């Protein structure tokens, strides 16, 4: 019998890599989606995951991603980690860059969420998990090009949760309120950056929640955060 599948869209070396390691250890077949799959070679070798070159803002590309996932096994979890962003003063933002940020960060979430929903509705269970940020809740100065796609993604997640929850599909949105730790960053204080492994554990815990007490939104921040 084929193992169940987890699709991670927008895969890279941070949270997505931690999720891939954790979910593969838990027995799922992991399918990673990224524009540049060459950067995933080491992770693929480590986890046995499959990497699929994907543009999340393109309908046909996302369809091919999920067709590849279908061949790996039945879908159980879809995680949308792709993020579109452009920063700068509103009067100076490049309209094309903002458009691309919206296409990747919001429209891409719709395309991935739609393909996942079609499969999980047939299955009758599963989870669709969206990665948000502080900008999902608050538009900061100079950050319109990031806030717009993150606000849109949160609205998408809310609508999908209300529609799909009664059909036994768990949709959740995560507010990542802080920087995620990486070898390239040396925080000034211990644990002042979020551990990607710890975030991944939370994603898995939400996926495994009993449906009598599902969470829709979870915010994660370092313990040193003063709000």
């Amino acid at each position: 019998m084929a193992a169940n599948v987890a699709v991670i869209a927008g895969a890279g070396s941070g949270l997505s890599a931690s999720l891939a390691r954790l979910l593969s250890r838990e027995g799922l077949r992991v399918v990673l989606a990224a524009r540049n799959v060459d950067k995933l070679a080491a992770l693929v070798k480590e986890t046995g995951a499959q990497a699929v070159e994907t543009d999340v803002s393109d309908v046909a590309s996302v369809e091919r991603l999920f067709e590849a996932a279908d061949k790996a096994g039945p879908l159980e979890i879809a995680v949308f980690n792709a993020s579109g962003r452009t920063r700068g003063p509103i009067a100076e933002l490049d309209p094309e860059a903002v458009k691309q940020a919206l296409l990747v960060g919001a429209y891409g979430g719709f395309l991935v969420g739609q393909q996942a929903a079609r499969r999980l509705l047939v299955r009758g269970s599963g989870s669709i998990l969206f990665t948000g940020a502080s900008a999902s809740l608050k538009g900061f100065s100079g950050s319109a090009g990031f806030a717009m796609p993150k606000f849109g993604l949160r609205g998408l997640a809310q609508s999908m949760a209300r529609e799909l929850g009664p059909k036994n599909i768990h949709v959740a949105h995560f507010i990542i309120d802080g920087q995620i730790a990486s070898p390239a960053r040396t925080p000034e204080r211990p644990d002042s950056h979020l551990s990607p492994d710890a975030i991944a554990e939370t994603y898995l815990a939400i996926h495994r929640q009993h449906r009598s007490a599902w969470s829709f939104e979870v915010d994660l921040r370092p313990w040193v955060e003063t709000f």
Side-chain angles (χ1 to χ4, degrees), residues 59-187:
V59 176
S61 185
V62 175
E63 288 176 346
R64 288 193 295 271
L65 165 65
F66 279 87
E67 287 166 0
D70 290 340
K71 294 176 183 177
L75 183 68
E76 181 177 337
I77 309 172
V79 181
F80 184 77
N81 276 344
S83 182
R85 70 173 64 195
T86 183
R87 298 183 185 277
I90 191 69
E92 300 174 13
L93 285 173
D94 177 358
E96 284 301 315
V98 173
K99 178 180 177 181
Q100 185 61 28
L102 284 162
L103 286 173
V104 171
Y107 182 60
F110 159 73
L111 292 179
V112 170
Q114 183 182 59
Q115 290 294 321
R118 287 174 176 172
R119 287 156 174 80
L120 297 181
L121 283 167
V122 174
R123 176 186 172 93
S125 65
S127 298
I128 304 173
L129 310 178
F130 294 98
T131 300
S134 307
S136 305
L137 302 175
K138 181 190 295 185
F140 295 90
S141 175
S143 192
F146 186 45
M148 285 191 289
K150 285 302 183 185
F151 266 65
L153 187 69
R154 186 176 186 235
L156 168 71
Q158 286 180 345
S159 293
M160 289 180 60
R162 288 180 168 87
E163 177 182 342
L164 300 177
K167 299 176 182 178
N168 200 39
I169 298 168
H170 191 178
V171 178
H173 180 252
F174 297 80
I175 304 293
I176 308 302
D177 190 7
Q179 289 189 316
I180 298 176
S182 77
R185 298 192 188 103
T186 304

